[in-house]
Amino acid sequence: MEAFIQGIPKAELHLHIEGTFEPQLMFDIAKRNRISIPFNSVKEIELAYNFDCLQDFLDIYYQGAGVLIHEQDFYDLTYSYLEKCAKQNIRHAEIMFDPQTHTDRGIEFKTVINGIHNACVDAMKNLQVSSLLIMSYLRHLPQEAAFKTLEQSLPFKKHIAAIGLDSSEKGNPPSKFKDVFQASVKAGYIPLAHAGEEGDADYVWEALDILEIKRIDHGNNSLQDDALVQEIIKRNIALTVCPLSNKALQVVPELRNHPLKKMMDLGMKVTVNSDDPAYFGGQLNQNFIEIQKALSLTKKDIYELAKNSFEYALLDKNTKLKYLNELDAFYAKNK
Ligand code: ADE
Ligand code: ZN
Protein backbone atom coordinates (compact mmCIF):
# COMPACT_ATOMS: atom_id res chain seq x y z
CA MET A 1 0.00 0.00 0.00
CA GLU A 2 2.83 2.44 0.84
CA ALA A 3 4.46 1.81 -2.52
CA PHE A 4 1.08 2.35 -4.21
CA ILE A 5 0.64 5.69 -2.39
CA GLN A 6 4.20 6.71 -3.23
CA GLY A 7 3.83 5.88 -6.92
CA ILE A 8 0.36 7.11 -7.71
CA PRO A 9 0.36 10.42 -9.65
CA LYS A 10 -1.41 13.12 -7.66
CA ALA A 11 -1.92 16.86 -7.17
CA GLU A 12 -1.75 18.90 -3.99
CA LEU A 13 -4.46 21.58 -3.78
CA HIS A 14 -4.12 22.94 -0.23
CA LEU A 15 -0.63 24.01 0.70
CA HIS A 16 0.68 27.19 2.31
CA ILE A 17 4.19 27.92 1.08
CA GLU A 18 5.04 29.55 4.44
CA GLY A 19 3.98 26.26 6.04
CA THR A 20 6.64 24.31 4.14
CA PHE A 21 9.45 26.12 5.98
CA GLU A 22 11.56 23.26 7.35
CA PRO A 23 13.56 24.09 10.52
CA GLN A 24 16.92 23.53 8.80
CA LEU A 25 16.11 25.92 5.94
CA MET A 26 14.74 28.42 8.49
CA PHE A 27 18.09 28.30 10.32
CA ASP A 28 20.07 28.68 7.10
CA ILE A 29 18.04 31.66 5.85
CA ALA A 30 17.99 33.31 9.32
CA LYS A 31 21.77 33.00 9.41
CA ARG A 32 22.43 34.47 5.98
CA ASN A 33 19.99 37.33 6.74
CA ARG A 34 21.60 37.84 10.17
CA ILE A 35 18.25 37.49 11.93
CA SER A 36 18.11 35.88 15.34
CA ILE A 37 15.37 33.35 16.03
CA PRO A 38 14.37 32.24 19.54
CA PHE A 39 15.69 28.68 19.02
CA ASN A 40 19.16 27.18 19.33
CA SER A 41 18.68 24.03 17.29
CA VAL A 42 16.44 22.24 14.83
CA LYS A 43 15.45 19.97 17.73
CA GLU A 44 14.32 22.96 19.79
CA ILE A 45 12.19 24.21 16.91
CA GLU A 46 10.58 20.81 16.49
CA LEU A 47 9.78 20.65 20.20
CA ALA A 48 7.95 23.99 19.93
CA TYR A 49 5.62 22.49 17.30
CA ASN A 50 3.00 21.31 19.75
CA PHE A 51 -0.34 22.99 19.22
CA ASP A 52 -3.64 23.19 21.10
CA CYS A 53 -5.56 24.97 18.34
CA LEU A 54 -5.24 26.93 15.09
CA GLN A 55 -4.20 30.21 16.79
CA ASP A 56 -1.46 28.45 18.73
CA PHE A 57 0.04 27.30 15.44
CA LEU A 58 -0.47 30.60 13.60
CA ASP A 59 1.55 32.50 16.22
CA ILE A 60 4.60 30.31 15.53
CA TYR A 61 3.99 30.15 11.77
CA TYR A 62 3.99 33.95 11.38
CA GLN A 63 7.12 34.20 13.54
CA GLY A 64 8.92 31.66 11.31
CA ALA A 65 7.98 33.54 8.14
CA GLY A 66 9.68 36.62 9.61
CA VAL A 67 13.13 35.51 8.43
CA LEU A 68 12.10 35.66 4.75
CA ILE A 69 13.48 38.94 3.38
CA HIS A 70 14.92 38.62 -0.12
CA GLU A 71 13.55 37.28 -3.40
CA GLN A 72 16.09 34.44 -3.12
CA ASP A 73 14.58 33.41 0.24
CA PHE A 74 11.12 33.02 -1.31
CA TYR A 75 12.67 31.21 -4.27
CA ASP A 76 14.55 28.75 -2.06
CA LEU A 77 11.49 28.07 0.10
CA THR A 78 9.31 27.36 -2.95
CA TYR A 79 11.85 25.35 -4.92
CA SER A 80 12.57 23.20 -1.89
CA TYR A 81 8.85 22.33 -1.62
CA LEU A 82 8.59 21.59 -5.36
CA GLU A 83 11.58 19.23 -5.13
CA LYS A 84 9.66 17.33 -2.46
CA CYS A 85 6.67 17.22 -4.82
CA ALA A 86 8.77 15.56 -7.52
CA LYS A 87 9.95 12.91 -5.06
CA GLN A 88 6.36 12.12 -4.04
CA ASN A 89 4.94 11.87 -7.56
CA ILE A 90 2.98 15.08 -7.04
CA ARG A 91 2.57 16.22 -10.65
CA HIS A 92 0.82 19.50 -9.89
CA ALA A 93 0.66 21.84 -6.87
CA GLU A 94 -1.67 24.77 -6.14
CA ILE A 95 0.33 26.91 -3.75
CA MET A 96 -1.12 29.46 -1.34
CA PHE A 97 0.94 32.40 -0.22
CA ASP A 98 0.10 35.07 2.36
CA PRO A 99 1.40 38.42 0.98
CA GLN A 100 0.28 40.38 4.05
CA THR A 101 2.53 38.32 6.33
CA HIS A 102 5.42 39.84 4.40
CA THR A 103 4.20 43.26 3.22
CA ASP A 104 3.27 44.11 6.83
CA ARG A 105 6.97 43.64 7.69
CA GLY A 106 8.04 46.03 4.94
CA ILE A 107 8.82 43.38 2.29
CA GLU A 108 7.61 44.44 -1.16
CA PHE A 109 4.87 42.43 -2.87
CA LYS A 110 7.09 42.00 -5.93
CA THR A 111 9.88 40.44 -3.86
CA VAL A 112 7.49 37.77 -2.62
CA ILE A 113 5.76 36.99 -5.91
CA ASN A 114 8.89 37.07 -8.06
CA GLY A 115 10.74 34.65 -5.77
CA ILE A 116 7.83 32.22 -5.64
CA HIS A 117 6.93 32.51 -9.33
CA ASN A 118 10.51 32.00 -10.57
CA ALA A 119 10.82 28.83 -8.49
CA CYS A 120 7.56 27.56 -10.05
CA VAL A 121 8.89 28.24 -13.57
CA ASP A 122 12.17 26.45 -12.83
CA ALA A 123 10.37 23.48 -11.24
CA MET A 124 8.26 23.03 -14.37
CA LYS A 125 11.42 23.06 -16.47
CA ASN A 126 13.70 20.97 -14.23
CA LEU A 127 11.31 18.70 -12.32
CA GLN A 128 8.23 18.55 -14.56
CA VAL A 129 6.04 19.64 -11.63
CA SER A 130 3.37 22.15 -12.68
CA SER A 131 2.01 24.68 -10.24
CA LEU A 132 -0.16 27.74 -9.86
CA LEU A 133 -0.54 30.36 -7.17
CA ILE A 134 -3.37 31.26 -4.80
CA MET A 135 -3.06 34.62 -3.08
CA SER A 136 -4.62 34.32 0.38
CA TYR A 137 -6.06 37.20 2.36
CA LEU A 138 -5.50 37.10 6.12
CA ARG A 139 -8.93 37.09 7.72
CA HIS A 140 -7.77 38.42 11.11
CA LEU A 141 -6.94 41.72 9.34
CA PRO A 142 -9.59 44.21 8.16
CA GLN A 143 -11.12 44.01 4.69
CA GLU A 144 -9.40 47.31 3.74
CA ALA A 145 -6.03 45.59 4.16
CA ALA A 146 -7.13 42.86 1.74
CA PHE A 147 -8.16 45.56 -0.74
CA LYS A 148 -4.65 47.00 -0.53
CA THR A 149 -3.20 43.57 -1.25
CA LEU A 150 -5.53 43.12 -4.21
CA GLU A 151 -4.31 46.45 -5.58
CA GLN A 152 -0.64 45.44 -5.12
CA SER A 153 -1.26 42.14 -6.90
CA LEU A 154 -2.69 43.59 -10.11
CA PRO A 155 0.63 44.14 -11.94
CA PHE A 156 1.34 40.41 -11.31
CA LYS A 157 -2.12 39.18 -12.21
CA LYS A 158 -0.85 36.77 -14.83
CA HIS A 159 1.09 34.86 -12.16
CA ILE A 160 -1.90 34.40 -9.82
CA ALA A 161 -4.83 32.06 -10.53
CA ALA A 162 -7.00 32.41 -7.46
CA ILE A 163 -7.57 34.08 -4.12
CA GLY A 164 -7.97 32.37 -0.77
CA LEU A 165 -8.96 33.28 2.77
CA ASP A 166 -6.94 31.93 5.68
CA SER A 167 -5.66 32.61 9.23
CA SER A 168 -7.82 32.83 12.41
CA GLU A 169 -11.27 31.58 11.42
CA LYS A 170 -13.36 32.04 14.57
CA GLY A 171 -14.73 35.58 14.81
CA ASN A 172 -13.73 36.35 11.20
CA PRO A 173 -16.62 35.11 9.04
CA PRO A 174 -16.46 35.02 5.24
CA SER A 175 -19.06 37.83 5.06
CA LYS A 176 -16.37 40.22 6.40
CA PHE A 177 -14.66 39.89 2.97
CA LYS A 178 -17.68 40.10 0.68
CA ASP A 179 -16.63 43.27 -1.16
CA VAL A 180 -12.98 42.38 -1.67
CA PHE A 181 -13.94 38.95 -2.99
CA GLN A 182 -16.33 40.56 -5.43
CA ALA A 183 -13.61 42.95 -6.60
CA SER A 184 -11.09 40.11 -6.87
CA VAL A 185 -13.43 38.03 -9.04
CA LYS A 186 -13.95 41.09 -11.22
CA ALA A 187 -10.17 41.29 -11.58
CA GLY A 188 -10.12 37.69 -12.85
CA TYR A 189 -9.22 35.66 -9.76
CA ILE A 190 -11.05 32.43 -8.84
CA PRO A 191 -12.50 32.64 -5.29
CA LEU A 192 -11.54 29.97 -2.71
CA ALA A 193 -11.60 30.05 1.10
CA HIS A 194 -10.84 28.14 4.27
CA ALA A 195 -14.16 27.36 5.93
CA GLY A 196 -15.36 24.92 8.56
CA GLU A 197 -11.92 24.13 9.98
CA GLU A 198 -12.69 25.61 13.42
CA GLY A 199 -15.67 27.68 12.30
CA ASP A 200 -19.15 26.17 12.23
CA ALA A 201 -21.31 25.17 9.27
CA ASP A 202 -22.76 28.70 9.00
CA TYR A 203 -19.29 29.93 7.94
CA VAL A 204 -19.29 27.35 5.14
CA TRP A 205 -22.73 28.56 4.05
CA GLU A 206 -21.40 32.13 3.97
CA ALA A 207 -18.35 31.07 1.95
CA LEU A 208 -20.67 29.42 -0.60
CA ASP A 209 -23.45 31.97 -0.75
CA ILE A 210 -21.65 35.27 -0.10
CA LEU A 211 -18.12 34.65 -1.43
CA GLU A 212 -19.30 32.15 -4.07
CA ILE A 213 -16.20 30.02 -3.63
CA LYS A 214 -15.34 27.26 -6.09
CA ARG A 215 -13.55 24.98 -3.62
CA ILE A 216 -13.63 24.69 0.18
CA ASP A 217 -10.38 24.45 2.14
CA HIS A 218 -10.97 21.95 5.00
CA GLY A 219 -14.78 22.05 5.30
CA ASN A 220 -14.87 19.50 8.14
CA ASN A 221 -17.71 21.20 10.00
CA SER A 222 -19.96 21.03 6.93
CA LEU A 223 -20.99 17.67 8.38
CA GLN A 224 -22.85 19.51 11.16
CA ASP A 225 -25.58 20.37 8.63
CA ASP A 226 -27.17 17.80 6.31
CA ALA A 227 -28.68 20.47 4.05
CA LEU A 228 -25.21 22.00 3.63
CA VAL A 229 -23.72 18.64 2.69
CA GLN A 230 -26.40 18.23 0.02
CA GLU A 231 -25.79 21.77 -1.26
CA ILE A 232 -22.02 21.17 -1.55
CA ILE A 233 -22.70 17.98 -3.51
CA LYS A 234 -25.28 19.72 -5.70
CA ARG A 235 -22.87 22.54 -6.55
CA ASN A 236 -20.08 20.01 -7.26
CA ILE A 237 -17.66 21.73 -4.90
CA ALA A 238 -14.63 19.83 -3.62
CA LEU A 239 -13.17 19.89 -0.12
CA THR A 240 -9.40 20.06 0.31
CA VAL A 241 -9.00 18.00 3.46
CA CYS A 242 -5.81 17.94 5.54
CA PRO A 243 -5.62 14.93 7.89
CA LEU A 244 -2.31 15.55 9.71
CA SER A 245 -3.13 19.25 10.07
CA ASN A 246 -6.50 18.36 11.62
CA LYS A 247 -4.77 16.07 14.09
CA ALA A 248 -1.98 18.55 14.95
CA LEU A 249 -4.46 21.42 15.53
CA GLN A 250 -6.87 19.17 17.40
CA VAL A 251 -9.69 19.61 14.90
CA VAL A 252 -10.00 15.83 15.34
CA PRO A 253 -8.79 13.99 18.48
CA GLU A 254 -7.25 11.09 16.50
CA LEU A 255 -6.99 10.21 12.83
CA ARG A 256 -9.33 7.26 13.34
CA ASN A 257 -12.03 9.86 14.17
CA HIS A 258 -11.34 11.77 10.94
CA PRO A 259 -14.46 12.38 8.78
CA LEU A 260 -12.72 11.88 5.40
CA LYS A 261 -14.22 8.46 4.65
CA LYS A 262 -17.62 9.56 5.86
CA MET A 263 -17.44 12.52 3.46
CA MET A 264 -16.57 10.18 0.60
CA ASP A 265 -19.40 7.80 1.50
CA LEU A 266 -21.85 10.72 1.54
CA GLY A 267 -20.81 11.50 -2.04
CA MET A 268 -18.72 14.58 -1.30
CA LYS A 269 -15.69 15.25 -3.52
CA VAL A 270 -12.64 15.14 -1.27
CA THR A 271 -8.89 15.54 -1.77
CA VAL A 272 -6.00 14.86 0.63
CA ASN A 273 -3.49 17.65 1.33
CA SER A 274 -0.66 18.57 3.70
CA ASP A 275 -1.61 22.23 4.55
CA ASP A 276 1.61 23.15 6.42
CA PRO A 277 3.80 20.03 6.16
CA ALA A 278 6.83 21.42 8.01
CA TYR A 279 4.68 22.03 11.09
CA PHE A 280 2.29 19.06 11.09
CA GLY A 281 4.61 16.07 10.89
CA GLY A 282 4.35 14.97 7.29
CA GLN A 283 4.37 15.72 3.60
CA LEU A 284 1.48 14.78 1.34
CA ASN A 285 2.35 11.08 0.97
CA GLN A 286 2.65 10.76 4.75
CA ASN A 287 -0.88 12.23 5.02
CA PHE A 288 -2.09 9.52 2.61
CA ILE A 289 -0.20 6.77 4.46
CA GLU A 290 -1.50 7.71 7.90
CA ILE A 291 -5.12 8.34 6.89
CA GLN A 292 -5.15 5.11 4.85
CA LYS A 293 -4.08 3.16 7.93
CA ALA A 294 -6.41 4.97 10.34
CA LEU A 295 -9.52 4.55 8.17
CA SER A 296 -8.56 1.31 6.36
CA LEU A 297 -8.85 3.00 2.97
CA THR A 298 -8.62 0.72 -0.08
CA LYS A 299 -6.51 1.24 -3.19
CA LYS A 300 -9.73 2.26 -4.92
CA ASP A 301 -10.28 4.96 -2.27
CA ILE A 302 -6.73 6.26 -2.79
CA TYR A 303 -7.29 6.24 -6.56
CA GLU A 304 -10.51 8.21 -6.12
CA LEU A 305 -8.76 10.79 -3.92
CA ALA A 306 -5.93 11.18 -6.46
CA LYS A 307 -8.48 11.45 -9.27
CA ASN A 308 -10.33 14.22 -7.42
CA SER A 309 -7.06 16.07 -6.96
CA PHE A 310 -6.76 16.44 -10.74
CA GLU A 311 -10.44 16.86 -11.51
CA TYR A 312 -10.87 19.70 -9.02
CA ALA A 313 -7.54 21.40 -9.81
CA LEU A 314 -7.74 24.85 -11.42
CA LEU A 315 -6.27 23.46 -14.63
CA ASP A 316 -7.45 23.62 -18.24
CA LYS A 317 -9.26 20.60 -19.63
CA ASN A 318 -6.37 19.24 -21.71
CA THR A 319 -3.82 19.36 -18.92
CA LYS A 320 -6.30 17.65 -16.59
CA LEU A 321 -6.88 14.96 -19.18
CA LYS A 322 -3.14 14.37 -19.55
CA TYR A 323 -2.75 13.86 -15.79
CA LEU A 324 -5.91 11.74 -15.53
CA ASN A 325 -4.67 9.45 -18.31
CA GLU A 326 -1.38 9.02 -16.49
CA LEU A 327 -3.28 8.25 -13.28
CA ASP A 328 -5.49 5.67 -14.99
CA ALA A 329 -2.49 3.96 -16.58
CA PHE A 330 -0.85 3.70 -13.15
CA TYR A 331 -4.00 2.35 -11.54
CA ALA A 332 -4.60 -0.24 -14.28
CA LYS A 333 -1.10 -1.60 -13.68
CA ASN A 334 -1.05 -1.46 -9.89
CA LYS A 335 -4.55 -2.08 -8.53
N1 ADE B 1 -2.65 29.41 7.45
C1 ADE B 1 -1.81 28.39 7.31
N2 ADE B 1 -2.39 27.24 7.62
C2 ADE B 1 -3.66 27.52 7.97
C3 ADE B 1 -4.79 26.75 8.38
N3 ADE B 1 -4.73 25.43 8.51
N4 ADE B 1 -5.93 27.40 8.66
C4 ADE B 1 -6.00 28.72 8.53
N5 ADE B 1 -4.99 29.48 8.15
C5 ADE B 1 -3.82 28.89 7.85
ZN1 ZN C 1 -4.76 25.84 5.12
Side-chain angles (χ1 to χ4, degrees):
M1 181 58 87
E2 289 196 14
F4 179 79
I5 287 171
Q6 166 59 30
I8 196 166
K10 57 187 83 70
E12 173 144 73
L13 305 183
H14 182 158
L15 182 282
H16 303 263
I17 200 63
E18 294 87 353
T20 69
F21 210 177
E22 296 291 341
Q24 187 59 56
L25 185 60
M26 197 182 290
F27 258 111
D28 294 347
I29 292 183
K31 196 170 163 198
R32 77 187 185 205
N33 288 343
R34 296 195 175 83
I35 291 174
S36 74
I37 54 174
F39 303 105
N40 292 310
S41 65
V42 166
K43 191 91 208 137
E44 252 186 50
I45 295 187
E46 284 167 356
L47 284 173
Y49 292 175
N50 217 322
F51 313 111
D52 287 333
C53 61
L54 175 58
Q55 193 58 52
D56 221 23
F57 152 70
L58 289 170
D59 293 342
I60 287 200
Y61 161 89
Y62 293 131
Q63 186 183 51
V67 308
L68 298 162
I69 307 285
H70 306 291
E71 192 177 306
Q72 187 70 43
D73 303 339
F74 292 94
Y75 179 97
D76 291 347
L77 178 67
T78 308
Y79 200 79
S80 163
Y81 164 67
L82 289 164
E83 282 179 326
K84 292 193 182 78
C85 287
K87 289 191 185 123
Q88 298 177 84
N89 285 305
I90 299 173
R91 296 282 187 270
H92 173 71
E94 309 208 333
I95 301 176
M96 277 181 261
F97 68 113
D98 293 342
Q100 290 157 300
T101 298
H102 314 297
T103 51
D104 279 5
R105 302 181 285 115
I107 311 297
E108 286 191 74
F109 189 98
K110 70 165 192 237
T111 303
V112 180
I113 188 92
N114 286 340
I116 297 174
H117 172 73
N118 289 335
C120 291
V121 171
D122 287 354
M124 185 70 227
K125 200 166 53 195
N126 303 334
L127 309 167
Q128 290 74 53
V129 176
S130 64
S131 54
L132 56 81
L133 299 181
I134 302 165
M135 174 175 79
S136 286
Y137 299 128
L138 297 181
R139 67 201 306 159
H140 67 274
L141 299 176
Q143 176 169 242
E144 297 76 70
F147 264 113
K148 197 171 151 204
T149 300
L150 170 60
E151 191 71 23
Q152 290 168 334
S153 77
L154 294 178
F156 305 95
K157 213 163 92 172
K158 62 178 186 297
H159 299 332
I160 301 168
I163 50 155
L165 186 64
D166 64 0
S167 193
S168 324
E169 188 179 11
K170 281 185 178 164
N172 295 297
S175 50
K176 177 177 164 187
F177 296 91
K178 179 180 183 210
D179 296 340
V180 77
F181 263 65
Q182 232 167 40
S184 304
V185 169
K186 221 179 230 170
Y189 298 133
I190 297 167
L192 313 173
H194 284 54
E197 180 185 20
E198 284 190 344
D200 287 327
D202 56 325
Y203 279 26
V204 183
W205 275 117
E206 281 195 10
L208 289 180
D209 285 344
I210 299 176
L211 304 186
E212 299 186 37
I213 58 168
K214 306 299 176 209
R215 211 162 62 198
I216 301 168
D217 290 319
H218 296 294
N220 300 44
N221 287 338
S222 309
L223 296 183
Q224 293 169 348
D225 182 340
D226 294 342
L228 175 58
V229 169
Q230 291 315 311
E231 188 63 23
I232 291 169
I233 294 169
K234 194 173 115 196
R235 293 194 200 185
N236 192 24
I237 289 190
L239 308 186
T240 63
V241 169
C242 309
L244 291 180
S245 163
N246 290 161
K247 189 175 137 200
L249 302 185
Q250 309 200 21
V251 169
V252 294
E254 292 294 338
L255 281 186
R256 67 185 141 78
N257 309 108
H258 198 282
L260 177 127
K261 182 72 172 101
K262 186 174 177 203
M263 290 164 166
M264 293 172 79
D265 291 344
L266 284 166
M268 301 178 97
K269 299 299 180 184
V270 184
T271 65
V272 171
N273 306 271
S274 70
D275 204 4
D276 302 282
Y279 291 89
F280 300 150
Q283 301 292 325
L284 181 55
N285 283 357
Q286 193 61 30
N287 272 267
F288 269 105
I289 287 167
E290 293 195 29
I291 199 68
Q292 184 279 321
K293 276 204 191 103
L295 304 180
S296 306
L297 300 180
T298 61
K299 281 186 173 178
K300 183 161 175 288
D301 292 328
I302 302 296
Y303 165 73
E304 210 172 287
L305 291 162
K307 190 169 179 185
N308 287 342
S309 76
F310 293 123
E311 283 189 338
Y312 292 86
L314 307 175
L315 288 167
D316 63 86
K317 233 177 169 180
N318 285 342
T319 312
K320 271 188 202 183
L321 209 58
K322 181 191 84 172
Y323 286 134
L324 286 166
N325 285 339
E326 195 192 336
L327 171 67
D328 283 346
F330 175 90
Y331 188 52
K333 240 196 235 157
N334 295 282
K335 72 180 164 194

